[in-house]
Amino acid sequence: MKNFDTLYNPYHSQRNPVVAKKGMVATSQPLAAQAGLTILQNGGNAIDAAIATAAALTVVEPTTNGIGGDAFALVWVKDTLYGLNGSGKSPASISIDKVKAAGYDEIPKYGFTPVTVPGQPGAWAELSRRFGKLPFKDLMQPAIQYAEEGYPISPVLAKLWNRAAVRFKEAFEGDEFDHWFETFAPDGQAPKVGEMWKSQDMADTLRELGETECESFYTGNIARKIDEYSKQYDGYIRKEDLAKYKPEWVDPISVNYRGYDVWEIPPNTQGIIALSALNILKHMDIEDKESADTYHKQIEAMKLAFADGEKYIADQAYMKDVTAEDMLDEAYAKERLKLITDKAGQPEAGEPKASGTVYLSTADEEGNMVSFIQSNYMGFGSGLVVPGTGIGLQNRGCDFNLDPESPNALGPDKRSYHTIIPGFITKGKDALGPFGVMGGFMQPQGHVQVAMNTIDFNYNPQTALDAPRWQWIKDKTVWVEKNFPHQIAEDLVKRGHNIEMKLDSGAFGRGQIIWRDPETGILYGGTENRADGHIAAY
């Protein structure tokens, strides 16, 4: 961002950013954004607002997240950036041999096998304890109200909900999945647009979490219910696994990209993939945004970064041979750069040593800012809902593999390779602000595109999100949005890329941005047009 004055340039976007001074909440659901704004107006800070928004999102957007998921946060407080890893570990009793003995050649998506300890409630409580201002139970109140009184279903939410219900009817076998249908499709179908939906079980759970600062989830009544449910269906997760869980404060990692520091959470997340790609791209001449050459360079750098990520990213305790520092080494980035030609390449990992998610941003008048992301994974996660709680359990364990030689091999008490990543940008000692693009393996690709739109092309936050996106899928296959420039797509085909145009923009992630002018403190927000995106500000 060369100059904040360019944010007013009407030629940069058909939609302008939201501009405010006292506080801002940007997320994919208006009701959740309003919950966070209410907390700000009641004396809470950006951290309080983030927690309240996150809790509300579990109710008003259950198609992409839930109470039983994981979370990560980057928190800017008093000129310092903090990282929180709120991902849970695998159960102590699970192993590759047990999963194979159950008849699986790979970890299934649904059921108890991929269930890992949900870290999200613990992350909420930890953020509140360290940086919050208001009582934790107050932060749960908007979510409790939505769950108890109900809310009308929006169009995007209805589409995602129905898609999941149809898929689950075909995929689920066994009465352990009955509780999902009782909670989210009680009449055998998803709620429709404008229909009211509520869950007293979820309201009671959120109230219990508020009153116990989430201790009940890990050592109390809720932990007991999860344990009983798992035992009933021979699941692996136990109350002892829950009791051991603690969120972990981590040092964020970054690369300097053309004078700006772009920050991510370190492994076990795939944030390092975005940084690896930017580390390559910063050594290349990038001039015109809308040119086949620019897109080609972005795609090729992304492919190389993903190849390394797939091979090396795991729980940091198991990354023995290759560290995050190795993957972001400047000399290694230059070696990878040499592999990029004017034709589409086949991605392969290098040797660094040798050379249904929701995202939200918040900001307050004091300068505090939060980049926060949480997910049950693949929409509703494992398809399991703990009876009497409304808690859908995540299925993060399916990102482990069954190769015992891999650093990301399935094992007990281990964090898996994780797709969800919050982002943040600083310049010198000043924070530009939080950003993120949710959506599985689209996320680091979205981070690279948004960061470059901001830094290389001087786009305001709304334009940076509105710009047509691409997603590398595998080998030489690249998906592009329906509004992607056709001439550029044709030029990329000539370079050897297999370009596939997708009509559903939901495949390209959903992002949020808040930038803060360090001189004036004015906030500029962008939200996602591919979702029910909304910015609440005052």
Side-chain angles (χ1 to χ4, degrees), residues 66-111:
I67 299 169
D70 278 348
F72 296 90
L74 290 168
V75 185
W76 180 267
V77 176
K78 295 181 179 178
D79 300 327
T80 301
L81 188 64
Y82 301 86
L84 183 65
N85 184 326
S87 65
K89 295 184 177 182
S90 55
S93 64
I94 203 166
S95 70
I96 290 175
D97 290 341
K98 288 181 180 179
V99 172
K100 286 186 174 180
Y104 296 111
D105 294 325
E106 60 182 25
I107 301 171
K109 295 178 181 178
Y110 306 120

Side-chain angles (χ1 to χ4, degrees), residues 169-389:
K169 282 182 182 180
E170 298 175 352
F172 292 169
E173 295 180 3
D175 58 6
E176 66 265 37
F177 298 106
D178 290 349
H179 305 290
W180 185 89
F181 290 99
E182 291 168 4
T183 303
F184 295 111
D187 297 322
Q189 60 183 9
K192 296 179 173 58
V193 176
E195 183 177 334
M196 294 290 289
W197 182 84
K198 60 184 177 180
S199 171
Q200 188 59 50
D201 286 346
M202 198 175 288
D204 293 341
T205 292
L206 288 162
R207 186 173 285 111
E208 188 169 339
L209 293 177
E211 291 171 351
T212 67
E213 295 186 3
C214 296
E215 283 301 314
S216 177
F217 195 98
Y218 298 100
T219 60
N221 178 54
I222 296 174
R224 176 184 57 80
K225 290 181 178 180
I226 294 172
D227 183 73
E228 291 175 351
Y229 182 35
S230 180
K231 285 178 178 176
Q232 182 181 355
Y233 294 100
D234 297 322
Y236 295 98
I237 192 168
R238 294 289 183 270
K239 60 184 178 182
E240 291 80 9
D241 297 311
L242 295 162
K244 287 187 294 186
Y245 174 73
K246 296 292 181 187
E248 180 183 358
W249 290 101
V250 296
D251 293 328
I253 57 175
S254 68
V255 296
N256 188 273
Y257 183 78
R258 309 192 196 282
Y260 292 80
D261 291 309
V262 182
W263 297 87
E264 302 279 354
I265 295 286
N268 56 316
T269 81
Q270 64 175 344
I272 197 170
I273 292 177
L275 299 184
S276 295
L278 289 171
N279 219 23
I280 295 170
L281 285 159
K282 72 183 184 183
H283 297 292
M284 308 179 84
D285 292 329
I286 304 291
E287 297 178 359
D288 183 11
K289 166 80 169 70
E290 297 306 329
S291 76
D293 187 62
T294 294
Y295 283 107
H296 172 74
K297 290 173 179 176
Q298 290 177 322
I299 292 165
E300 293 303 291
M302 200 78 248
K303 287 155 66 172
L304 293 171
F306 259 112
D308 283 346
E310 183 178 352
K311 183 173 181 179
Y312 298 118
I313 293 175
D315 187 324
Q316 282 210 84
Y318 295 84
M319 291 177 66
K320 302 296 186 183
D321 297 326
V322 173
T323 66
E325 290 77 13
D326 297 327
M327 294 177 71
L328 297 180
D329 182 76
E330 286 289 330
Y332 180 61
K334 291 178 181 178
E335 287 299 313
R336 299 297 268 165
L337 174 65
K338 294 176 183 178
L339 299 177
I340 298 177
T341 69
D342 60 354
K343 297 294 183 181
Q346 185 69 24
E348 294 183 3
E351 296 182 12
K353 276 288 188 182
S355 51
T357 302
V358 291
Y359 174 79
L360 64 98
S361 303
T362 61
D364 62 32
E365 194 173 19
E366 298 173 6
N368 303 311
M369 291 184 281
V370 180
S371 183
F372 189 92
I373 196 163
Q374 65 186 26
S375 173
N376 271 14
Y377 203 31
M378 298 182 183
F380 282 97
S382 66
L384 302 172
V385 171
V386 182
T389 68

